[in-house]
Amino acid sequence: MNEIIKVEVFSENVVKLVVKAPRIARSRKPGHFIILRIDEHGERIPLTIAGADEKAGTITLVAQKVGVTSTKLCEMKPGDQILDLVGPLGKATHIEKVGTVLACGGGVGVAPLLPIVEGFKKAGNRVVTILAARSKDLIILEDEIRQWSDEVIIMTDDGSYGRKGLVTAGAEEVIRREQVDECIAIGPAVMMKFTSLLTKKYEIPTQASLNAIMVDGTGMCGACRVSVGGQTRFTCVDGPEFDAHQIDFDELMLRLGCYREEEKEAFERYHQSVNA
Amino acid sequence: MQEYLKQQREQAWRVELRGKIKNKERGEIQRVKMPEMNPSERVCYQNREVNLGLTVEQAVKEAQRCMDCVNPTCIEGCPVSINIPKFVKNIERGEFIEAAKTLKETSALPAVCGRVCPQEKQCEASCFYTLKLKKVPVAIGYLERFAADFERESGQMTVPETAPKNGMKVAAIGSGPASLAFAGDMIKLGYEVTVFEALHEIGGVLKYGIPEFRLPNKIVDVELSNLEKMGVRFERNFIVGRTASFDDLKAEGYQAFFVASGAGLPRFMNIPGENYNGILSSNEYLTRVNLMNASDPDFDTPVLRGKNVAVIGGGNTAMDSVRTAKRLGAERAMIIYRRSREEMPARVEEIHHAEEEGIEFINLTNPTEYFADDKGRVNRMRVQRMELGEPDASGRRRPVVIEGSEYDIPVDVVVVAVGVSPNPLVPSELPQLKVSRWGTIEVDAETMQSSMPELFAGGDIVRGGATVILAMGDGRRAAAGMHNYLQGN
Ligand SMILES: Cc1cc2nc3c(=O)[nH]c(=O)nc-3n(C[C@H](O)[C@H](O)[C@H](O)COP(=O)(O)OP(=O)(O)OC[C@H]3O[C@@H](n4cnc5c(N)ncnc54)[C@H](O)[C@@H]3O)c2cc1C
Ligand SMILES: Cc1cc2nc3c(=O)[nH]c(=O)nc-3n(C[C@H](O)[C@H](O)[C@H](O)COP(=O)(O)OP(=O)(O)OC[C@H]3O[C@@H](n4cnc5c(N)ncnc54)[C@H](O)[C@@H]3O)c2cc1C
Ligand code: SF4
Ligand code: SF4
Ligand code: FES
């Protein structure tokens, strides 16, 4: 059992949770994630470790409501218990001093981006971060990101905050303006796809962190498989970060929709049960 | 060993029992038929066991068939050398609890092995009936299950005694049959034993792989709760090497490790279209249904239900998957296997049950490509026919492609069950550990000690995919090996 210590509501759909998990707090590195199961009937879902406090023995998760499990999670209160929580999973981000790093975060992808931005900054890089979302209230963790970035550019689809436009518009501006040595993109699959196409044009090495559907997270089931450079890889053990220019994003997007019908039904059932 | 068996055989009660019925009469008794749920009913239930178990009368009658041979060849067929005539004769004289105790002298999980051992290749294959009389063997597996079930249901299951604590801490990694057998032996010897499991359930393949219709979870749970009563600690959601490193655990006082992390890595065939939606590994399919209860709408995990489900492979995993598909409502549940029925590695009983349940067997056939609709969901598979050529290294005849024999089969779910590879997690954390070219951990066959003296290993991570009983045997040998090592012998 893992107790929820603190809950902070970022927006209607995004919540930050501080959860007791002393072992993971000690062993995690930027790029790692956990898998949790809320209760006996729950499913296992992956969430990135957005931060950790080793002394307090806690980790930070940022979750966005998209379906049944993430919604239940976002509605939990301090003192509630998460039945199962396992990690840290995945390969840690390869962080070194490369020069200038362009970090692109879309929507809730900013949460996994935070520890990576922090890592690159601490390794002595210049870090330019682009935060992108549909509208102002979906921009999260701005202060935390600013703390570890030399510059932050905010882009919203509707122009309600920062500049109006997609993440790629902001990214291209930076690339044209200065030498960028590495790019990191985390967010919805489409956003990563177009960011990757852009950096490929400019031949900038790019990492993307994939959000494949997972079950066990230990390399046992293959649900999370993706094609990278024409080869099948498992996101949970070989990733979640891969060379973005090698990733088959179209396949990833199709695979993310695999259980859409089942998930929609489950969500409707859930809403009915909550409203009843 | 031979001496001991002889001595046991000469005990008065056995001599007397042998005299009661003539061997000729014993030989004329028909082998018992296992009562089972009828096929049309059982395909409606994912979690009702197909085999119902022998009645007392059936068990005693079957036990009478056993001739209590001077040279009990059956024992040689059992990987852990269970004293088969002794337990069978105890059933014949009605001492069922004694029979269960005999099983437990060597096997940690008789109720499990009685159900899942490939008896037809092991003990029953070397029974006197099979070898000399050319008749169907004594139903050793059914009897084993009977005795173990009888003990459990009688409420007279005793918790074995444990030696006083010796103050030493050891860890088992993974919670499959190898670790459970290891933990049982080590706790009896007085060690403090912790079993670490990556998943949220204890039991390894027994829980996430083998379905309830073959091995009910409650049977495994009884064994687990016994181990807990004896003092074994279980740590769920704990990946050794990630959650904590081996060095962390050493710093916490663990002096030796038994690695039984299994062969969990699914293999795919790397043919075009294999990543379309609706194509999944048997591990994923079975885990969703068995571990996550996906077939029950009260649980949140989804599973794809297909009308036309094809399962690729001919092993136990393939049979479990295809029978699960049938139970989830498939109209057509097919096995696609590249050799013929004779070469199938699955237990004969499972193949037979699958046939009864209306599973279609498309043998001597192999997939070459998958096709999908515009949403990326598989809707068709291309297969080619095979014929059997010369025997290969495994002694089975090698399948050879028949050129120009391709045709298409409509499918909406495909389960790939073509084998697994050793779990790479532990070896990847320990660069100094010696592993084979296939990724299995190399150990001394007697002591199960690896190239790192404090690290022992067994089960599928050493054998690369074997059986429950072999894994258990490894666990017991490793316990003996580790005990020796820690006592400085
Ligand atoms: C390594 C990794 C790290 C992640 N980190 C975070 C994080 O820090 N914060 C966060 O909010 N989310 C994160 N995700 C995504 C998160 O796991 C999913 O949002 C969650 O599984 C959805 O579960 P659900 O039951 O609420 O929704 P479901 O009912 O399962 O799905 C609802 C909808 O979301 C889509 N969906 C399902 N699974 C995923 C997925 N894995 N990614 C994207 N869309 C999905 C479905 O297609 C469906 O349309 C991460 C995913 C991975 C693989
Ligand atoms: C579907 C299916 C059906 C089968 N049917 C039969 C049958 O009928 N008869 C038969 O004899 N055999 C059968 N087998 C084979 C048999 O189940 C295996 O040989 C046996 O379970 C191997 O046992 P094990 O102890 O080595 O490991 P497993 O049972 O594989 O358990 C390994 C466990 O280790 C955990 N783990 C891995 N790495 C770590 C880590 N780093 N830290 C913590 N935990 C970790 C895994 O999560 C897993 O739970 C079947 C297998 C499958 C998949
Ligand atoms: S453990 Fe398996 S092989 Fe040994 S006697 Fe029992 S059923 Fe036969
Ligand atoms: S070989 Fe067969 S008949 Fe002989 S003791 Fe063993 S089980 Fe009985
Ligand atoms: S989630 Fe099962 S293999 Fe990656």
Side-chain angles (χ1 to χ4, degrees), chain A residues 35 213-225 234-237, chain B residues 266:
Chain A
I35 284 199
I213 292 177
M214 294 187 177
V215 183
D216 60 300
T218 63
M220 186 261 274
C221 76
C224 64
R225 62 196 196 276
F234 290 1
T235 307
C236 66
V237 284

Side-chain angles (χ1 to χ4, degrees), chain A residues 43-85:
Chain A
E43 64 182 329
R44 296 168 64 99
I45 67 160
L47 294 170
T48 309
I49 305 169
D53 182 338
E54 214 185 305
K55 270 206 215 89
T58 58
I59 58 170
T60 304
L61 307 172
V62 176
Q64 179 177 28
K65 291 183 192 171
V66 298
V68 177
T69 309
S70 50
T71 303
K72 278 189 198 162
L73 185 67
C74 288
E75 282 159 7
M76 291 180 87
K77 301 275 168 306
D80 288 351
Q81 304 277 346
I82 295 172
L83 181 58
D84 298 300
L85 187 99

Side-chain angles (χ1 to χ4, degrees), chain A residues 136-152:
Chain A
K136 177 171 185 201
D137 52 324
L138 298 175
I139 296 282
I140 57 167
L141 295 168
E142 185 186 336
D143 293 341
E144 289 84 347
I145 287 280
R146 280 194 190 281
Q147 194 189 335
W148 300 107
S149 306
D150 294 275
E151 187 185 345
V152 176

Side-chain angles (χ1 to χ4, degrees), chain B residues 140-347:
Chain B
I140 301 168
Y142 293 167
L143 291 174
E144 181 166 332
R145 168 190 165 148
F146 170 81
D149 284 0
F150 184 91
E151 186 199 27
R152 191 182 58 252
E153 284 157 15
S154 71
Q156 297 183 50
M157 209 157 166
T158 48
V159 177
E161 285 186 24
T162 53
K165 288 270 159 275
N166 65 13
M168 289 195 200
K169 255 166 99 172
V170 300
I173 296 154
S175 65
S179 276
L180 299 180
F182 167 86
D185 279 6
M186 289 305 269
I187 202 88
K188 280 187 220 157
L189 290 168
Y191 293 88
E192 235 180 90
V193 186
T194 308
V195 176
F196 294 99
E197 169 57 51
L199 295 171
H200 58 259
E201 278 258 13
I202 300 298
V205 172
L206 305 181
K207 280 285 177 65
Y208 78 71
I210 304 178
E212 292 256 316
F213 57 78
R214 273 213 298 138
L215 177 65
N217 282 344
K218 65 169 200 284
I219 286 169
V220 183
D221 288 336
V222 169
E223 300 297 339
L224 296 178
S225 92
N226 264 337
L227 286 172
E228 245 165 2
K229 280 185 204 144
M230 288 160 73
V232 174
R233 282 203 326 137
F234 291 106
E235 282 260 16
R236 297 162 173 83
N237 299 308
F238 195 119
I239 307 181
V240 175
R242 308 304 308 261
T243 310
S245 67
F246 282 87
D247 287 341
D248 293 339
L249 293 178
K250 277 183 199 162
E252 286 170 32
Y254 291 95
Q255 298 186 15
F257 302 89
F258 176 58
V259 180
S261 50
L265 196 70
R267 265 187 234 143
F268 287 91
M269 293 173 66
N270 297 315
I271 56 178
E274 210 174 22
N275 288 348
Y276 284 134
N277 289 336
I279 304 177
L280 56 166
S281 74
S282 49
N283 272 1
E284 179 182 352
Y285 192 62
L286 293 172
T287 299
R288 282 180 184 274
V289 177
N290 298 333
L291 183 72
M292 306 307 298
N293 289 297
S295 63
D296 181 339
D298 284 344
F299 287 75
D300 294 340
T301 302
V303 63
L304 295 174
R305 289 167 195 264
K307 265 200 193 128
N308 298 304
V309 182
V311 176
I312 321 299
N316 284 319
T317 315
M319 290 313 138
D320 286 343
S321 301
V322 79
R323 295 170 71 197
T324 296
K326 188 80 188 177
R327 284 161 173 75
L328 295 187
E331 285 165 18
R332 232 185 137 186
M334 302 164 260
I335 283 283
I336 314 275
Y337 180 55
R338 64 196 181 119
R339 305 185 205 234
S340 68
R341 190 184 191 277
E342 267 154 44
E343 288 83 20
M344 280 193 176
R347 292 182 76 225

Side-chain angles (χ1 to χ4, degrees), chain A residues 157-226:
Chain A
D157 293 7
D158 62 359
S160 54
Y161 189 41
R163 258 177 286 161
K164 185 172 156 79
L166 299 176
V167 72
T168 40
E172 187 148 24
E173 200 184 291
V174 177
I175 294 169
R176 287 210 173 135
R177 176 185 82 190
E178 61 182 295
Q179 160 81 23
V180 173
D181 300 289
E182 189 170 334
C183 176
I184 311 285
I186 310 183
V190 249
M191 170 256 168
M192 293 191 281
K193 174 182 169 176
F194 285 102
T195 309
S196 165
L197 286 174
L198 176 78
T199 59
K200 194 168 185 175
K201 197 168 80 183
Y202 292 97
E203 292 175 4
I204 300 166
T206 301
Q207 301 288 319
S209 178
L210 305 185
N211 53 353
I213 292 177
M214 294 187 177
V215 183
D216 60 300
T218 63
M220 186 261 274
C221 76
C224 64
R225 62 196 196 276
V226 290

